[in-house]
Amino acid sequence: MNVYEKLKELEITLPPPPPKGGVYTPVQAFGDHLLYCSGCASTVGEESVVGKVGIDLTLEEGQHAAYLCALNLLANLQEQLGDLNRIKRLVKMLGFVNCSDQFAFQPAVINGASNLFRELFGEQKGVPARSAIGTNSLPGNAACEIELLVEIE
């Protein structure tokens, strides 16, 4: 299925690419078919999910933060590619969760992004290898930050 048709079916509108928070490239091409996406945080427009999961935020709020990260990654890929249908598959995702020392459900938080990618691209293309890491802090007190490696046509 066409990615844009699926977005419409899910009633999802991609946001504009997030503003850069430093000196870096949001999407860096390498080789002929790979794109490395810099980490995107859990702020889309005026909506921002900040704080520590397990202290300030529930698991569900953390999952929503990861979903916002995924939207930002898609916005950056749209800007770079011009057509998200050029994505052959998601290769690797690394998710960071701002959380308490006792919180041990980082993979469940990052599922907020993984579930969206699977819905949009399907099981074969949209479910990459993945790591989910807990951290004591993220820039701007973001609840999540996610980076992505993508193979393109």
Side-chain angles (χ1 to χ4, degrees):
M1 176 182 262
N2 179 298
V3 175
Y4 300 100
E5 290 172 10
K6 192 66 179 176
L7 284 166
K8 186 176 181 181
E9 176 186 312
L10 296 171
E11 298 181 358
I12 296 171
T13 301
L14 287 182
K20 290 184 358 178
V23 182
Y24 64 91
T25 300
V27 179
Q28 182 68 53
F30 64 100
D32 291 332
H33 301 284
L34 293 173
L35 299 175
Y36 173 77
C37 301
S38 295
C40 284
S42 51
T43 297
V44 171
E46 297 298 315
E47 183 178 6
S48 187
V49 181
V50 297
K52 289 189 180 298
V53 182
I55 295 177
D56 309 310
L57 303 168
T58 65
L59 171 63
E60 292 76 16
E61 290 169 322
Q63 290 170 329
H64 183 67
Y67 171 85
L68 295 178
C69 294
L71 289 179
N72 281 328
L73 288 161
L74 290 168
N76 280 341
L77 285 164
Q78 170 66 34
E79 179 83 6
Q80 175 79 19
L81 294 171
D83 184 359
L84 293 175
N85 290 304
R86 290 185 55 203
I87 294 174
K88 184 175 180 179
R89 67 181 168 145
L90 307 184
V91 177
K92 171 73 167 96
M93 182 165 58
L94 175 58
F96 297 95
V97 180
N98 183 2
C99 60
S100 68
D101 291 344
Q102 294 75 31
F103 188 80
F105 302 101
Q106 293 85 1
V109 170
I110 301 304
N111 281 346
S114 295
N115 289 335
L116 174 60
F117 291 141
R118 182 179 59 199
E119 284 187 83
L120 288 178
F121 297 103
E123 194 78 28
Q124 293 295 97
K125 291 172 57 172
V127 180
R130 186 184 90 171
S131 299
I133 308 296
T135 185
N136 67 333
S137 180
L138 286 171
N141 200 29
C144 287
E145 183 173 328
I146 299 175
E147 57 185 50
L148 193 61
L149 179 62
V150 176
E151 183 179 16
I152 58 171
E153 306 276 359

